[in-house]
Amino acid sequence: MGTRDRDMAVPTAPVGVLASVGALEPVGPPARSASAVPVRFPRWDGGRDLERPGDHAPAGSTRAGAALERSVVRSLAVLRAAVCLITVIYLFLWRSWYEEKPAAVLVIVGTAAWGAFFVVRSLRHGVGERMAAATVAVAAVPVLLSPFCLPPPSIGDTGNWVLLAVLHAGLTAGWALSPRRFAAAEACLVLAVAVGGHEGRPQVFTAVTFTIVVPVLFACAAVRLRASGRRADDRLTSAMLGHRARLLVLTLDHDRRERQRVLHDTVLNTLTGLAWGGGDDVALARRRCGASADAIRRLLAYDFGPPPVGLDAALTAAVASAGDRGLVVHLQGTSPFERSVLAASEEPPAAVVAALAGATGEALANVARHAGTGEAWVRVARAPGRLTIRVCDQGAGFQPGRAAPDRLGVRQSVLARVRDAGGLATVESAPGQGTVVTMRWPAGPSVPAAPTPTPTPTAAAGAGYEAEYGERAGAELVRETTAAALRRDYSSGLRAVVAGVALAWHVLMLVPLFGTLGRVHSPLAALGIWCALGLGTLAVAKVSRPRPLSGAEAAGLTALSVGAVLASVNVDDTELLRITNWPLIVVALLLAFVTASRTAAQAIAAGTVALAAVVVTVVVRGATDPLTLSRLLSLAYGILGLQLMVAMIGPLLRRTADTTALAVRTEAETLAGQDSDAMIRAGRARWLGAIRGEVLPMLDALAGGDADPRDPRWRRLCARQAAGIRRMLARDGAGATLATLAEDIEAVAAAAEGRGMTVEVQIAGESGAVPLAVPFDLRAGLVDLIDRTLAILPENRAMLTMWSGTDGGSVFVSAAWPGGREPPALTGAVQALVDVDDGRLTVELRWRSAQPPTASAALAASADLT
């Protein structure tokens, strides 16, 4: 095959070439035909390829990074709202001072107004660099004016509203700004705190320390959170690419089966009937030839076929078609009274109606051909959420599971067709006892499986996979599995961040520990408290990294937090709520472990217990002056604010895991749908090339009256063409062969050409020799890796070569590669060998096929045709 025209989805090729390598059909939605109206893949404009760099996700799509961004922004908005609330309380505590300072009140009002604007704006539009820079500037103004807008005892102290605004601005800058701009913003804030609070020495040094340490630690945590989000995105993308590959291969198999059904149920049956002398009724023969010709044209045009009709009308048409064969069919259960138990809204979808009607028609055709009786019954039973159709006869019957002349019709045109529509069909028969074909929709776990004919390798490869990973059930399985993986990634990443920040914070507590040893009752006790809390933090960090804390571990950690509060007895009353009493500051980090691991109710309970212990400690000591209460407000803000951030980020990310997985799964399906139409049209045109050139003109001549269906010469011609179609169906239905794999590879190349690439495809080796079984997962793995390889190529031209033998083969992708650029790392279900030499990248994907079928299996497959 040569280089393909980019306006064509797949190349054209002589029929002889196709006979050697198999029909190369593209990937897409289920086939549009007269016998099945497929459920289309969902589409949206601007669907983004999962591997295309530089593209942006469409509006409404969800990624781990985007979910993390929303979570943090909401947390910052809530923290800012809390700052506004504490500012009001602070104003009330110092009301006697502010009554004489109206200008200071105006500063408070202006800052609170900005806080309200920040909350509304960030929740609607997020927090960008401009918003972060403005927040820093607004926070720096009141802190510079501290001597004018704060009571003298509160200047430079950690217990005032201006420092809370500064800390919030630092957090916002740490999240939204680049490292350099964040450093500049931090420098401005530190300078403003130092200048504005210089009158409040020595407590201003504590305020400066907090201004530096808290935002920097949060910025480091943000880096780790984003890295966790990227890892989650990578895993999500990998899972969705695998889903996309499986979906493409599954759709290819679905279209292949539908082509077989259409040819078997219409063209092959018509030609076989004429060959056996069924043309004596000239008018009926011409109508059937015309219908077969129309079916071929609909396959070639990838047409939906006739407009969808209701189930009753579709079954009536199937029964009428059987009547044309001379079969007397009793249709029961389609009267208005009998179907009144079902609401109109419970009418099956058009695709299901087409599948059930087609299966019913084929079951009746088998009765007419093989049962040896001229009478059959079709019974329709309806119940809410359930539909059952039974086709019964009292004819010769047969032994299910043995090769029979009608076996392909039963297996593919009845059983597989109903299964593809989401239902279940069973066959009950015995020699001399008639046959009952039961079709139920939808399939349910309560439906017993009756003995059915043994499927061939093709049915096992495609249908077996659908049973586990079908278009609906498989998509839900992928979504649930991916969502569970995302939840694990989110949770473990958040716990790792909390552990890292807690350990770093505890190390930093060495500074106030040694700096204040002269202001505690027992320096040795202070050292012991630091060691005990450090060991507890280290142990909890080690346990919480791989898994969440248990309920008992969370209770123990809460007790340790209360112990840290009780350790405040080691300082005197004047240092109660200052950095001298650093164990109180550690409480927030200890409780964060509980919040990151346990439910919201348990986290609230732990925080309430610890904060109540702090309040009781303050009240017992009788420290109720405004300065102490202001410091208590700041401490409560620190403890509860950290828990609030962890509580919002963690559960929110876990809740968005389902939405994230669903959105990206939908995107993968959208991409598969966008690549489908032209490829399926071209693939069908090539697969049906011989039929279009020879069978279609013959059917047109018979239908139009230019040929006599009673003429022995035309009957012999019909027999010869029917034999050719049987051979084609046997080759296409004998198993998932190397030729089938070639179709999948060709479809991936065609999809790449649809994105603007030029792909030269070459197929060599022994792919037409022995029909080796190729597992479904192997084909999907190859589709995945080839698609990824083509996506990362820097140029839009590549050569794709498939070589195959009796035990497996390789696919080579060759393209230009810039010098000095590292070769890509490709991993997947298939072995990938990557090499770069003389400016060319070569990727070899190797596989080994299963053992070829035995001669008896091949004969059984050949006999398994009508």
Side-chain angles (χ1 to χ4, degrees):
M1 298 182 192
T3 303
R4 291 175 287 188
D5 189 332
R6 287 173 55 182
D7 292 334
M8 295 293 294
V10 291
T12 58
V15 175
V17 176
L18 297 180
S20 64
V21 300
L24 303 182
E25 73 185 351
V27 183
R32 297 173 177 174
S33 68
S35 59
V37 181
V39 179
R40 298 290 296 169
F41 292 131
R43 298 190 177 207
W44 53 22
D45 293 331
R48 181 175 78 89
D49 196 306
L50 299 177
E51 284 280 296
R52 304 294 171 263
D55 289 345
H56 298 282
S61 68
T62 310
R63 290 288 189 273
L68 177 64
E69 180 74 25
R70 287 194 299 274
S71 302
V72 174
V73 167
R74 291 179 185 179
S75 301
L76 292 173
V78 173
L79 287 179
R80 187 67 192 196
V83 170
C84 294
L85 177 61
I86 291 176
T87 301
V88 174
I89 299 175
Y90 183 90
L91 183 62
F92 174 78
L93 292 175
W94 295 94
R95 59 187 181 278
S96 59
W97 187 85
Y98 280 104
E99 287 175 354
E100 301 176 358
K101 304 289 183 180
V105 175
L106 288 178
V107 174
I108 291 179
V109 171
T111 306
W114 170 261
F117 172 77
F118 178 92
V119 171
V120 175
R121 175 77 178 180
S122 61
L123 290 177
R124 289 185 177 180
H125 305 288
V127 178
E129 291 191 351
R130 292 183 180 179
M131 190 69 174
T135 304
V136 170
V138 171
V141 171
V143 79
L144 284 172
L145 299 176
S146 292
F148 304 98
C149 60
L150 290 178
S154 193
I155 296 175
D157 196 77
T158 56
N160 58 63
W161 63 270
V162 294
L163 185 64
L164 295 183
V166 166
L167 292 178
H168 180 270
L171 297 178
T172 305
W175 177 256
L177 297 181
S178 64
R180 290 185 178 181
R181 294 181 179 179
F182 169 67
E186 268 293 284
C188 293
L189 291 175
V190 170
L191 181 62
V193 171
V195 172
H198 71 281
E199 297 180 2
R201 293 186 299 270
Q203 60 265 34
V204 69
F205 297 112
T206 301
V208 169
T209 302
F210 278 169
T211 304
I212 296 173
V213 172
V214 173
V216 169
L217 284 180
F218 179 75
C220 295
V223 172
R224 299 196 62 176
L225 281 173
R226 285 194 168 105
S228 176
R230 285 193 298 271
R231 287 193 301 270
D233 273 339
D234 291 341
R235 290 187 59 177
L236 181 65
T237 299
S238 178
M240 288 304 104
L241 284 172
H243 173 51
R244 180 187 178 193
R246 286 173 170 81
L247 187 63
L248 293 175
V249 175
L250 180 64
T251 306
L252 188 66
D253 288 343
H254 192 290
D255 184 67
R256 183 183 298 112
R257 292 195 299 274
E258 188 58 34
R259 289 185 329 214
Q260 293 172 357
R261 292 167 193 152
V262 171
L263 285 183
H264 174 274
D265 296 354
T266 58
V267 181
L268 181 58
N269 285 347
T270 297
L271 295 179
T272 302
L274 293 177
W276 288 356
D280 292 339
D281 187 339
V282 177
L284 176 60
R286 287 176 177 171
R287 286 200 306 272
R288 296 181 66 83
C289 288
S292 298
D294 290 341
I296 294 175
R297 289 188 174 91
R298 281 194 293 270
L299 282 176
L300 291 170
Y302 191 29
D303 187 13
F304 278 113
V309 296
L311 178 64
D312 293 343
L315 291 177
T316 301
V319 169
S321 178
D324 290 341
R325 298 185 178 93
L327 188 67
V328 177
V329 183
H330 305 281
L331 180 59
Q332 302 170 349
T334 58
S335 67
F337 174 77
E338 290 176 296
R339 64 172 179 263
S340 61
V341 295
L342 273 186
S345 60
E346 294 190 56
E347 178 77 10
V352 176
V353 170
L356 294 176
T360 301
E362 182 58 26
L364 292 173
N366 285 331
V367 174
R369 287 193 299 264
H370 308 297
T373 180
E375 192 173 21
W377 288 262
V378 177
R379 298 186 176 96
V380 182
R382 292 174 166 89
R386 174 71 65 181
L387 177 65
T388 303
I389 301 175
R390 285 184 173 85
V391 180
C392 313
D393 68 77
Q394 298 177 356
F398 68 99
Q399 183 62 49
R402 293 184 179 179
D406 64 335
R407 190 167 163 194
L408 178 64
V410 171
R411 189 185 66 250
Q412 287 291 358
S413 295
V414 178
L415 303 181
R417 174 177 278 157
V418 175
R419 183 188 59 242
D420 287 348
L424 177 66
T426 60
V427 178
E428 300 176 28
S429 183
Q433 298 183 19
T435 302
V436 177
V437 177
T438 304
M439 294 166 277
R440 294 180 174 90
W441 183 87
S446 61
V447 178
T452 56
T454 303
T456 61
T458 294
Y465 180 75
E466 280 192 20
E468 176 185 358
Y469 197 94
E471 290 177 46
R472 292 187 179 89
E476 289 302 313
L477 176 63
V478 167
R479 182 185 65 78
E480 293 172 3
T481 303
T482 306
L486 280 178
R487 284 191 290 270
R488 289 193 300 270
D489 284 342
Y490 290 152
S491 299
S492 61
L494 185 60
R495 293 195 304 270
V497 167
V498 171
V501 172
L503 291 173
W505 184 265
H506 198 74
V507 172
L508 289 173
M509 289 300 98
L510 285 171
V511 176
L513 169 66
F514 288 108
T516 60
L517 284 178
R519 283 179 276 176
V520 298
H521 298 307
S522 172
L524 185 60
L527 289 172
I529 292 171
W530 186 90
C531 292
L533 292 177
L535 290 175
T537 303
L538 183 62
V540 173
K542 185 177 180 180
V543 170
S544 65
R545 279 177 175 268
R547 63 170 178 82
L549 297 178
S550 66
E553 290 166 343
L557 192 56
T558 303
L560 182 62
S561 302
V562 174
V565 174
L566 297 178
S568 62
V569 299
N570 197 36
V571 300
D572 57 30
D573 292 347
T574 59
E575 304 292 343
L576 177 62
L577 292 179
R578 296 183 61 180
I579 198 170
T580 306
N581 208 349
W582 55 266
L584 292 177
I585 308 173
V586 178
V587 169
L589 277 304
L590 294 176
L591 293 176
F593 285 106
V594 179
T595 307
S597 296
R598 306 304 301 173
T599 63
Q602 292 171 323
I604 292 173
T608 302
V609 169
L611 191 58
V614 174
V615 173
V616 169
T617 301
V618 173
V619 173
V620 167
R621 294 196 176 192
T624 57
D625 58 283
L627 181 59
T628 302
L629 293 179
S630 298
R631 290 173 177 172
L632 180 60
L633 279 176
S634 297
L635 180 62
Y637 175 82
I639 294 175
L640 297 181
L642 180 59
Q643 312 319 308
L644 185 107
M645 288 198 71
V646 175
M648 289 190 67
I649 293 174
L652 182 59
L653 286 178
R654 288 191 290 270
R655 286 196 299 271
T656 59
D658 286 320
T659 305
T660 302
L662 177 61
V664 183
R665 186 209 67 175
T666 303
E667 186 175 349
E669 294 174 351
T670 300
L671 294 171
Q674 288 173 343
D675 291 338
S676 64
D677 290 356
M679 289 187 293
I680 284 187
R681 289 192 185 98
R684 287 185 173 190
R686 294 169 49 202
W687 192 76
L688 297 169
I691 293 177
R692 177 176 54 186
E694 299 178 11
V695 178
L696 186 58
M698 183 185 69
L699 291 173
D700 285 337
L702 290 168
D706 297 331
D708 188 351
R710 297 167 296 183
D711 191 329
R713 292 176 302 173
W714 284 99
R715 290 181 175 178
R716 287 194 296 270
L717 182 59
C718 289
R720 186 164 61 249
Q721 297 293 356
I725 293 176
R726 286 194 192 95
R727 287 192 297 271
M728 183 172 65
L729 291 176
R731 183 180 66 246
D732 205 38
T737 65
L738 291 175
T740 304
L741 178 58
E743 300 176 20
D744 299 344
I745 294 172
E746 181 75 12
V748 176
E753 286 198 341
R755 298 191 297 263
M757 292 195 68
T758 300
V759 183
E760 183 176 346
V761 179
Q762 298 178 346
I763 300 179
E766 307 170 25
S767 61
V770 180
L772 300 179
V774 182
F776 187 95
D777 286 342
L778 186 148
R779 289 191 287 142
L782 274 172
V783 167
D784 183 15
L785 281 177
I786 294 173
D787 190 51
R788 294 192 197 193
T789 303
L790 295 176
I792 62 177
L793 295 179
E795 297 187 5
N796 62 350
R797 180 178 294 273
M799 177 179 289
L800 195 155
T801 304
M802 174 184 171
W803 177 90
S804 60
T806 57
D807 60 346
S810 300
V811 174
F812 297 87
V813 181
S814 178
W817 192 259
R821 182 174 174 178
E822 289 293 325
L826 297 171
T827 58
V830 181
Q831 182 183 9
L833 304 177
V834 183
D835 181 56
V836 176
D837 186 26
D838 292 334
R840 298 288 297 180
L841 170 72
T842 302
V843 177
E844 180 185 2
L845 307 175
R846 294 179 180 176
W847 77 90
R848 294 186 63 83
S849 295
Q851 293 297 321
T854 62
S856 60
L859 288 175
S862 298
D864 196 24
L865 301 170
T866 299

